[in-house]
Amino acid sequence: MAIEEMKVRDAFRITPSQLPDNRGLFFEAWRLGGLTAASGQPFTVRQVNFSVSRRNTLRGIHGTTLPPGQAKLVTCVRGAALDVVVDLRVGSPTFGMFDTTLQEAGSGIGVYLADGLGHAFLALSDDTCMNYLCSEEYVPGTMVDIQALDPDIGIPWNTTGQLIRSDKDTHAPSLSEAAARGLLPTYEQALASYRPAAPAGRRPYPDG
């Protein structure tokens, strides 16, 4: 499989190698050793979530405060989605930047998001099902919600119909509003959570 860092620091796109035969196909979705070597971060799965969405459903941008944090590995297991990672870490070299991934069930592509990053997606087909492997159990009151239509972030959703959104997502603050209110995690907090697992050969963070 190929693991590549995305435009957002500490987000990784995982593309498996598929092995087709007369029965169908087989692929390894990810390996812990490979992900740890690429990211320099531990990833222990403590919770598994699924979402099922109608076409044109927009979920996010969702993140988690630090602590407790919640790293995620997100994969589309049915349908298709435009998957987006946004850097919500105040002080990060890529703060406010985003990157997109077309996730289709047949591709097996996954996206890993470290603590402090935000996630959103637009369902491109009915009955789109997303699988989330989470490093921490959900703690009420720790979710960070950011406006997915924030023009300062500028995600090109390119919608073809009326969006379906929750009230919470519709009324979420912009990135600048959330930062001004002290709702966002900091890059320093994120670095503290990553550093213990950094293997030899991992490029150093800016603070050494």
Side-chain angles (χ1 to χ4, degrees), residues 53-57 78-81 122-129:
S53 304
R54 296 164 55 192
R55 184 173 180 271
N56 288 327
T57 292
R78 186 170 64 241
L122 175 68
L124 302 178
S125 63
D126 284 328
D127 203 32
T128 291
C129 184

Side-chain angles (χ1 to χ4, degrees), residues 39-51:
S39 68
Q41 303 165 19
F43 185 61
T44 301
V45 178
R46 292 187 171 89
Q47 182 170 317
V48 180
N49 300 333
F50 289 88
S51 66

Side-chain angles (χ1 to χ4, degrees), residues 74-200:
V74 185
T75 309
C76 180
V77 295
R78 186 170 64 241
L82 178 65
D83 192 85
V84 181
V85 180
V86 183
D87 195 339
L88 306 182
R89 304 166 300 179
V90 175
S92 166
T94 56
F95 175 70
M97 292 180 60
F98 70 89
D99 202 353
T100 64
T101 302
L102 175 61
Q103 291 213 36
E104 297 176 294
S107 71
I109 293 173
V111 172
Y112 173 78
L113 304 82
D115 286 339
L117 301 182
H119 178 255
F121 74 85
L122 175 68
L124 302 178
S125 63
D126 284 328
D127 203 32
T128 291
C129 184
M130 303 292 281
N131 169 235
Y132 313 73
L133 305 182
C134 304
S135 66
E136 300 291 340
E137 296 180 12
Y138 169 69
V139 178
T142 63
M143 182 172 284
V144 176
D145 300 308
I146 301 299
Q147 178 57 244
L149 303 181
D150 183 348
D152 289 336
I153 299 176
I155 300 169
W157 294 112
N158 298 324
T159 56
T160 57
Q162 184 174 356
L163 291 175
I164 303 169
R165 308 178 72 193
S166 68
D167 288 341
K168 178 170 66 70
D169 287 350
T170 300
H171 297 101
S174 68
L175 187 65
S176 61
E177 290 170 340
R181 291 161 55 185
L183 301 178
L184 302 178
T186 68
Y187 191 51
E188 290 74 17
Q189 290 173 321
L191 289 179
S193 71
Y194 306 157
R195 192 173 289 112

